[in-house]
Amino acid sequence: MAASRRAGSSRRGAVDRLTGWREVLQGAGLPDDAVEIGDFAVAGGAAAMERILAAHPDVDGLFVASDLMAEGALRVLAAHGRDVPRDVSVVGFDNLATAASTVPPLTTVQNPMVEMVRGATDLLLDLVGGRGDEIASQVLSPALVERDSV
């Protein structure tokens, strides 16, 4: 399930997550056509899950672009009698507080927020202080927070 927002940076994050998902599936020789767009909210995740089940009733794994959408997907799967993780594995993204309290607790991906904020702050201070005139790209590795949904 992909997510999209109209705001620039949020939309960019959603596009990056979708791109990464597609690259991994294609690299493994798997199809990448089971995508639905959501809005980073519980209701959007639930609606997208309904559409996925209608189009792909045999779905057995989900990567959801936000934990809130994953929460909505979990609710829909339960309503359809699908057991998580026995029938469908679900992985969210963000490691929000809600991820630990969903049923079952959600496996999720966590970005290194402290390092991201530190890097952005250092860059801003360098630019404001005249110590840098170009923005260097930095890639930080996320971590998988394993819980009971896979």
Side-chain angles (χ1 to χ4, degrees):
M1 225 178 293
S4 177
R5 284 191 177 169
R6 296 194 194 286
S9 64
S10 295
R11 182 165 177 357
R12 179 65 191 182
V15 169
D16 288 346
R17 291 173 191 188
L18 177 58
T19 300
W21 177 80
R22 285 188 191 272
E23 288 174 357
V24 168
L25 287 178
Q26 290 170 358
L30 297 170
D32 65 351
D33 61 331
V35 175
E36 288 295 333
I37 303 300
D39 61 0
F40 280 90
V42 174
M49 187 72 252
E50 291 285 1
R51 293 189 302 269
I52 286 175
L53 287 174
H56 304 277
D58 60 340
V59 65
D60 63 0
L62 295 172
F63 175 75
V64 187
S66 82
D67 290 344
L68 292 176
M69 288 196 320
E71 180 180 348
L74 288 170
R75 291 178 186 178
V76 168
L77 288 166
H80 282 267
R82 305 289 297 270
D83 181 83
V84 175
R86 189 190 61 200
D87 300 327
V88 182
S89 292
V90 180
V91 176
F93 203 104
D94 292 323
N95 196 30
L96 300 177
T98 189
S101 61
T102 59
V103 178
L106 182 65
T107 293
T108 185
V109 177
Q110 178 177 345
N111 272 323
M113 294 307 293
V114 171
E115 292 85 353
M116 291 169 67
V117 170
R118 184 176 296 125
T121 302
D122 290 346
L123 174 64
L124 180 61
L125 291 173
D126 285 347
L127 291 172
V128 169
R131 292 183 296 275
D133 58 353
E134 72 178 56
I135 298 174
S137 177
Q138 184 178 15
V139 177
L140 302 172
S141 296
L144 183 66
V145 179
E146 295 184 55
R147 295 196 181 94
D148 298 332
S149 64
V150 295

